Amino acid sequence: MFKIPHISPARLPELLRRMPKAELHIHIEGSLEPELIFALAQRNGVSLPYPDVESLRRAYAFTNLQSFLDIYYAGASVLIQEQDFYDMAWAYLQRAAADHVVHAELFFDPQTHTARGIAMETVVRGLHRACTDARAQLGVDATLILCFLRHLSEEDAFATLEQALPLRDLFIGVGLDSSELGHPPEKFARVFARCRELGLHLVAHAGEEGPPAYIWSALDELKVQRIDHGVQALKDPALVQRLAQDRIPLTVCPFSNVKLCVFPDLASSNLAQLLDAGLAVTINSDDPAYFGGYLNDNFVQTFAATGLNAHHAYTLARNSFEASFVTEAQRHDWEHQLKAVFESFSEHDF
Ligand SMILES: Nc1ncnc2[nH]cnc12
Ligand SMILES: [Zn+2]
């Protein structure tokens, strides 16, 4: 076991910013900043129901998940050309590099685009090209996870999978997102079974607004390897035991939970309780352009509000590597970098 050196609380924010980390829950369409929405709208001749950037930003006052999704899908309507998808992902990956994100698994929602007549290939090739350039030019390792929209039908999800199969090598897994309540994971059991046969990694949003029963069915019916959000798990002690025992990672998104009124404020986040329960928790930004900050902002402000310390920081960064869909060798390399950063902070303390 690595002995965490003493690090003064005053230097904790800088440590949080500097430590290498993985981001495993970021919807790339949720990284579309208002400025880029307006630039792409102009480039593509799309008209928006807001006169300017400021009035669009003012509309980002959400009361629940659905109130956010309505505006998030409207924002994505400016994405038309392959280059638009590239520009969106590239902007995120530059910010990720600045936050010392060494690995990112990007969610994308193809049905949002194919329903508007955009080809699957346009979406995936644009995003994939940005991931390739990020590796070469930014040193950020980035991969793609295709998410099915759960408010749409099983049939639509199967059709989406069919469209994506010629591009199978350009994404590593599938997820499940969009409106949770009323759309339990088991609705997609057969689609996920097929994806499992195809060797894809499996994740699903569950227990964001929905009950612990949705987390159970994501595990037992979909057989997912990670739970996205999962913050409602604490309502069910048997579920917490199961998550701990199987070391199922939870990709928790503190800013998102506050903006979507899951918790009243950051201090009410249950991150510390989830960690104390021995769960493999990670911190993520979800939809940073809509929720007020990127990954390091989530780390720094959540730590300040909840009183987490350097031990928690190390655990969270380590968990992010453990939960990543990468090779053991890659994981070890990043853990080594993580230890080096912690040790460098200890030296400067004296
Ligand atoms: N937080 C979230 N929950 C469900 N679906 C989403 N799509 C984008 N962000 C989401
Ligand atoms: Zn999400």
Side-chain angles (χ1 to χ4, degrees), residues 86 89-90 93 106 126-136 140-144:
Y86 177 94
W90 182 248
L93 289 162
L106 313 185
L127 298 177
H128 185 259
R129 191 156 53 83
C131 292
T132 305
D133 285 356
R135 222 160 289 142
V140 177
D141 181 62
T143 51
L144 299 173

PDB file of all heavy atoms in Angstrom, residues 86 89-90 93 106 126-136 140-144:
ATOM      1  N   TYR A  86     -16.124  16.802 -34.561  1.00  0.00           N
ATOM      2  CA  TYR A  86     -14.697  16.907 -34.237  1.00  0.00           C
ATOM      3  C   TYR A  86     -14.446  18.128 -33.353  1.00  0.00           C
ATOM      4  O   TYR A  86     -13.800  18.030 -32.311  1.00  0.00           O
ATOM      5  CB  TYR A  86     -13.867  17.013 -35.529  1.00  0.00           C
ATOM      6  CG  TYR A  86     -12.403  17.188 -35.255  1.00  0.00           C
ATOM      7  CD1 TYR A  86     -11.542  16.101 -35.217  1.00  0.00           C
ATOM      8  CD2 TYR A  86     -11.858  18.453 -34.988  1.00  0.00           C
ATOM      9  CE1 TYR A  86     -10.191  16.258 -34.933  1.00  0.00           C
ATOM     10  CE2 TYR A  86     -10.513  18.624 -34.708  1.00  0.00           C
ATOM     11  CZ  TYR A  86      -9.688  17.522 -34.679  1.00  0.00           C
ATOM     12  OH  TYR A  86      -8.356  17.677 -34.388  1.00  0.00           O
ATOM     13  N   ALA A  89     -15.654  17.686 -29.734  1.00  0.00           N
ATOM     14  CA  ALA A  89     -14.837  16.762 -28.934  1.00  0.00           C
ATOM     15  C   ALA A  89     -13.445  17.348 -28.685  1.00  0.00           C
ATOM     16  O   ALA A  89     -12.890  17.205 -27.594  1.00  0.00           O
ATOM     17  CB  ALA A  89     -14.745  15.407 -29.632  1.00  0.00           C
ATOM     18  N   TRP A  90     -12.911  18.023 -29.692  1.00  0.00           N
ATOM     19  CA  TRP A  90     -11.570  18.596 -29.545  1.00  0.00           C
ATOM     20  C   TRP A  90     -11.556  19.668 -28.450  1.00  0.00           C
ATOM     21  O   TRP A  90     -10.635  19.741 -27.631  1.00  0.00           O
ATOM     22  CB  TRP A  90     -11.088  19.154 -30.886  1.00  0.00           C
ATOM     23  CG  TRP A  90      -9.706  19.710 -30.824  1.00  0.00           C
ATOM     24  CD1 TRP A  90      -9.331  21.017 -30.941  1.00  0.00           C
ATOM     25  CD2 TRP A  90      -8.494  18.954 -30.622  1.00  0.00           C
ATOM     26  NE1 TRP A  90      -7.963  21.136 -30.816  1.00  0.00           N
ATOM     27  CE2 TRP A  90      -7.431  19.889 -30.619  1.00  0.00           C
ATOM     28  CE3 TRP A  90      -8.204  17.601 -30.431  1.00  0.00           C
ATOM     29  CZ2 TRP A  90      -6.097  19.502 -30.435  1.00  0.00           C
ATOM     30  CZ3 TRP A  90      -6.876  17.216 -30.244  1.00  0.00           C
ATOM     31  CH2 TRP A  90      -5.839  18.155 -30.249  1.00  0.00           C
ATOM     32  N   LEU A  93     -11.517  17.871 -25.184  1.00  0.00           N
ATOM     33  CA  LEU A  93     -10.253  17.167 -24.916  1.00  0.00           C
ATOM     34  C   LEU A  93      -9.135  18.146 -24.545  1.00  0.00           C
ATOM     35  O   LEU A  93      -8.273  17.822 -23.723  1.00  0.00           O
ATOM     36  CB  LEU A  93      -9.882  16.287 -26.117  1.00  0.00           C
ATOM     37  CG  LEU A  93     -10.818  15.071 -26.258  1.00  0.00           C
ATOM     38  CD1 LEU A  93     -10.739  14.464 -27.658  1.00  0.00           C
ATOM     39  CD2 LEU A  93     -10.506  14.012 -25.192  1.00  0.00           C
ATOM     40  N   LEU A 106     -15.669   8.875 -23.575  1.00  0.00           N
ATOM     41  CA  LEU A 106     -16.686   9.856 -23.952  1.00  0.00           C
ATOM     42  C   LEU A 106     -17.989   9.176 -24.346  1.00  0.00           C
ATOM     43  O   LEU A 106     -18.014   8.363 -25.273  1.00  0.00           O
ATOM     44  CB  LEU A 106     -16.211  10.697 -25.149  1.00  0.00           C
ATOM     45  CG  LEU A 106     -14.797  11.275 -25.132  1.00  0.00           C
ATOM     46  CD1 LEU A 106     -14.600  12.173 -26.359  1.00  0.00           C
ATOM     47  CD2 LEU A 106     -14.553  12.065 -23.871  1.00  0.00           C
ATOM     48  N   GLY A 126     -16.223  11.816 -36.825  1.00  0.00           N
ATOM     49  CA  GLY A 126     -15.783  13.125 -36.302  1.00  0.00           C
ATOM     50  C   GLY A 126     -15.253  13.001 -34.880  1.00  0.00           C
ATOM     51  O   GLY A 126     -14.191  13.528 -34.545  1.00  0.00           O
ATOM     52  N   LEU A 127     -15.994  12.279 -34.040  1.00  0.00           N
ATOM     53  CA  LEU A 127     -15.571  12.105 -32.642  1.00  0.00           C
ATOM     54  C   LEU A 127     -14.279  11.297 -32.571  1.00  0.00           C
ATOM     55  O   LEU A 127     -13.367  11.621 -31.801  1.00  0.00           O
ATOM     56  CB  LEU A 127     -16.677  11.396 -31.842  1.00  0.00           C
ATOM     57  CG  LEU A 127     -18.017  12.129 -31.732  1.00  0.00           C
ATOM     58  CD1 LEU A 127     -19.028  11.266 -30.968  1.00  0.00           C
ATOM     59  CD2 LEU A 127     -17.860  13.485 -31.042  1.00  0.00           C
ATOM     60  N   HIS A 128     -14.214  10.249 -33.384  1.00  0.00           N
ATOM     61  CA  HIS A 128     -13.045   9.368 -33.331  1.00  0.00           C
ATOM     62  C   HIS A 128     -11.776  10.095 -33.779  1.00  0.00           C
ATOM     63  O   HIS A 128     -10.702   9.905 -33.204  1.00  0.00           O
ATOM     64  CB  HIS A 128     -13.295   8.114 -34.174  1.00  0.00           C
ATOM     65  CG  HIS A 128     -12.178   7.136 -34.066  1.00  0.00           C
ATOM     66  ND1 HIS A 128     -11.206   7.006 -35.028  1.00  0.00           N
ATOM     67  CD2 HIS A 128     -11.846   6.269 -33.073  1.00  0.00           C
ATOM     68  CE1 HIS A 128     -10.335   6.085 -34.640  1.00  0.00           C
ATOM     69  NE2 HIS A 128     -10.690   5.630 -33.470  1.00  0.00           N
ATOM     70  N   ARG A 129     -11.896  10.933 -34.767  1.00  0.00           N
ATOM     71  CA  ARG A 129     -10.738  11.692 -35.263  1.00  0.00           C
ATOM     72  C   ARG A 129     -10.208  12.616 -34.156  1.00  0.00           C
ATOM     73  O   ARG A 129      -8.999  12.770 -33.978  1.00  0.00           O
ATOM     74  CB  ARG A 129     -11.146  12.475 -36.518  1.00  0.00           C
ATOM     75  CG  ARG A 129      -9.997  13.088 -37.287  1.00  0.00           C
ATOM     76  CD  ARG A 129     -10.353  13.314 -38.757  1.00  0.00           C
ATOM     77  NE  ARG A 129     -11.585  14.069 -38.949  1.00  0.00           N
ATOM     78  CZ  ARG A 129     -11.673  15.401 -38.907  1.00  0.00           C
ATOM     79  NH1 ARG A 129     -10.608  16.130 -38.664  1.00  0.00           N
ATOM     80  NH2 ARG A 129     -12.834  16.016 -39.107  1.00  0.00           N
ATOM     81  N   ALA A 130     -11.114  13.206 -33.396  1.00  0.00           N
ATOM     82  CA  ALA A 130     -10.675  14.063 -32.277  1.00  0.00           C
ATOM     83  C   ALA A 130      -9.938  13.227 -31.226  1.00  0.00           C
ATOM     84  O   ALA A 130      -8.931  13.661 -30.660  1.00  0.00           O
ATOM     85  CB  ALA A 130     -11.874  14.777 -31.658  1.00  0.00           C
ATOM     86  N   CYS A 131     -10.449  12.012 -30.973  1.00  0.00           N
ATOM     87  CA  CYS A 131      -9.786  11.128 -29.990  1.00  0.00           C
ATOM     88  C   CYS A 131      -8.377  10.771 -30.461  1.00  0.00           C
ATOM     89  O   CYS A 131      -7.425  10.773 -29.670  1.00  0.00           O
ATOM     90  CB  CYS A 131     -10.598   9.849 -29.777  1.00  0.00           C
ATOM     91  SG  CYS A 131     -12.178  10.137 -28.959  1.00  0.00           S
ATOM     92  N   THR A 132      -8.242  10.479 -31.740  1.00  0.00           N
ATOM     93  CA  THR A 132      -6.926  10.120 -32.300  1.00  0.00           C
ATOM     94  C   THR A 132      -5.965  11.300 -32.171  1.00  0.00           C
ATOM     95  O   THR A 132      -4.815  11.140 -31.738  1.00  0.00           O
ATOM     96  CB  THR A 132      -7.086   9.722 -33.786  1.00  0.00           C
ATOM     97  OG1 THR A 132      -8.055   8.683 -33.850  1.00  0.00           O
ATOM     98  CG2 THR A 132      -5.779   9.251 -34.385  1.00  0.00           C
ATOM     99  N   ASP A 133      -6.430  12.493 -32.508  1.00  0.00           N
ATOM    100  CA  ASP A 133      -5.568  13.682 -32.418  1.00  0.00           C
ATOM    101  C   ASP A 133      -5.210  13.993 -30.963  1.00  0.00           C
ATOM    102  O   ASP A 133      -4.116  14.476 -30.676  1.00  0.00           O
ATOM    103  CB  ASP A 133      -6.262  14.893 -33.053  1.00  0.00           C
ATOM    104  CG  ASP A 133      -6.254  14.807 -34.586  1.00  0.00           C
ATOM    105  OD1 ASP A 133      -5.642  13.860 -35.124  1.00  0.00           O
ATOM    106  OD2 ASP A 133      -6.869  15.680 -35.230  1.00  0.00           O
ATOM    107  N   ALA A 134      -6.140  13.720 -30.038  1.00  0.00           N
ATOM    108  CA  ALA A 134      -5.877  14.007 -28.619  1.00  0.00           C
ATOM    109  C   ALA A 134      -4.725  13.146 -28.108  1.00  0.00           C
ATOM    110  O   ALA A 134      -3.889  13.617 -27.324  1.00  0.00           O
ATOM    111  CB  ALA A 134      -7.129  13.757 -27.787  1.00  0.00           C
ATOM    112  N   ARG A 135      -4.688  11.912 -28.554  1.00  0.00           N
ATOM    113  CA  ARG A 135      -3.609  11.013 -28.127  1.00  0.00           C
ATOM    114  C   ARG A 135      -2.272  11.563 -28.630  1.00  0.00           C
ATOM    115  O   ARG A 135      -1.295  11.642 -27.891  1.00  0.00           O
ATOM    116  CB  ARG A 135      -3.858   9.607 -28.688  1.00  0.00           C
ATOM    117  CG  ARG A 135      -3.572   8.507 -27.716  1.00  0.00           C
ATOM    118  CD  ARG A 135      -4.283   7.221 -28.129  1.00  0.00           C
ATOM    119  NE  ARG A 135      -5.722   7.320 -27.938  1.00  0.00           N
ATOM    120  CZ  ARG A 135      -6.639   6.807 -28.768  1.00  0.00           C
ATOM    121  NH1 ARG A 135      -6.268   6.165 -29.856  1.00  0.00           N
ATOM    122  NH2 ARG A 135      -7.922   6.921 -28.506  1.00  0.00           N
ATOM    123  N   ALA A 136      -2.248  11.943 -29.894  1.00  0.00           N
ATOM    124  CA  ALA A 136      -0.994  12.385 -30.515  1.00  0.00           C
ATOM    125  C   ALA A 136      -0.575  13.780 -30.044  1.00  0.00           C
ATOM    126  O   ALA A 136       0.602  14.023 -29.798  1.00  0.00           O
ATOM    127  CB  ALA A 136      -1.152  12.373 -32.034  1.00  0.00           C
ATOM    128  N   VAL A 140      -3.667  12.825 -24.232  1.00  0.00           N
ATOM    129  CA  VAL A 140      -4.874  12.327 -23.559  1.00  0.00           C
ATOM    130  C   VAL A 140      -5.356  11.093 -24.313  1.00  0.00           C
ATOM    131  O   VAL A 140      -5.568  11.145 -25.528  1.00  0.00           O
ATOM    132  CB  VAL A 140      -6.001  13.390 -23.539  1.00  0.00           C
ATOM    133  CG1 VAL A 140      -7.269  12.829 -22.904  1.00  0.00           C
ATOM    134  CG2 VAL A 140      -5.553  14.646 -22.814  1.00  0.00           C
ATOM    135  N   ASP A 141      -5.535  10.011 -23.575  1.00  0.00           N
ATOM    136  CA  ASP A 141      -6.054   8.772 -24.160  1.00  0.00           C
ATOM    137  C   ASP A 141      -7.586   8.881 -24.128  1.00  0.00           C
ATOM    138  O   ASP A 141      -8.155   9.079 -23.052  1.00  0.00           O
ATOM    139  CB  ASP A 141      -5.555   7.615 -23.288  1.00  0.00           C
ATOM    140  CG  ASP A 141      -6.005   6.280 -23.815  1.00  0.00           C
ATOM    141  OD1 ASP A 141      -5.619   5.936 -24.930  1.00  0.00           O
ATOM    142  OD2 ASP A 141      -6.749   5.588 -23.087  1.00  0.00           O
ATOM    143  N   ALA A 142      -8.223   8.791 -25.277  1.00  0.00           N
ATOM    144  CA  ALA A 142      -9.684   8.989 -25.297  1.00  0.00           C
ATOM    145  C   ALA A 142     -10.359   7.907 -26.140  1.00  0.00           C
ATOM    146  O   ALA A 142      -9.878   7.558 -27.219  1.00  0.00           O
ATOM    147  CB  ALA A 142     -10.028  10.362 -25.848  1.00  0.00           C
ATOM    148  N   THR A 143     -11.470   7.387 -25.602  1.00  0.00           N
ATOM    149  CA  THR A 143     -12.245   6.352 -26.298  1.00  0.00           C
ATOM    150  C   THR A 143     -13.728   6.742 -26.253  1.00  0.00           C
ATOM    151  O   THR A 143     -14.114   7.669 -25.537  1.00  0.00           O
ATOM    152  CB  THR A 143     -12.027   4.971 -25.645  1.00  0.00           C
ATOM    153  OG1 THR A 143     -12.243   5.096 -24.237  1.00  0.00           O
ATOM    154  CG2 THR A 143     -10.614   4.446 -25.885  1.00  0.00           C
ATOM    155  N   LEU A 144     -14.545   6.004 -27.008  1.00  0.00           N
ATOM    156  CA  LEU A 144     -15.963   6.352 -27.166  1.00  0.00           C
ATOM    157  C   LEU A 144     -16.884   5.255 -26.644  1.00  0.00           C
ATOM    158  O   LEU A 144     -16.615   4.067 -26.828  1.00  0.00           O
ATOM    159  CB  LEU A 144     -16.286   6.575 -28.649  1.00  0.00           C
ATOM    160  CG  LEU A 144     -15.534   7.708 -29.345  1.00  0.00           C
ATOM    161  CD1 LEU A 144     -15.831   7.698 -30.852  1.00  0.00           C
ATOM    162  CD2 LEU A 144     -15.933   9.057 -28.740  1.00  0.00           C
TER     163      LEU A 144
END
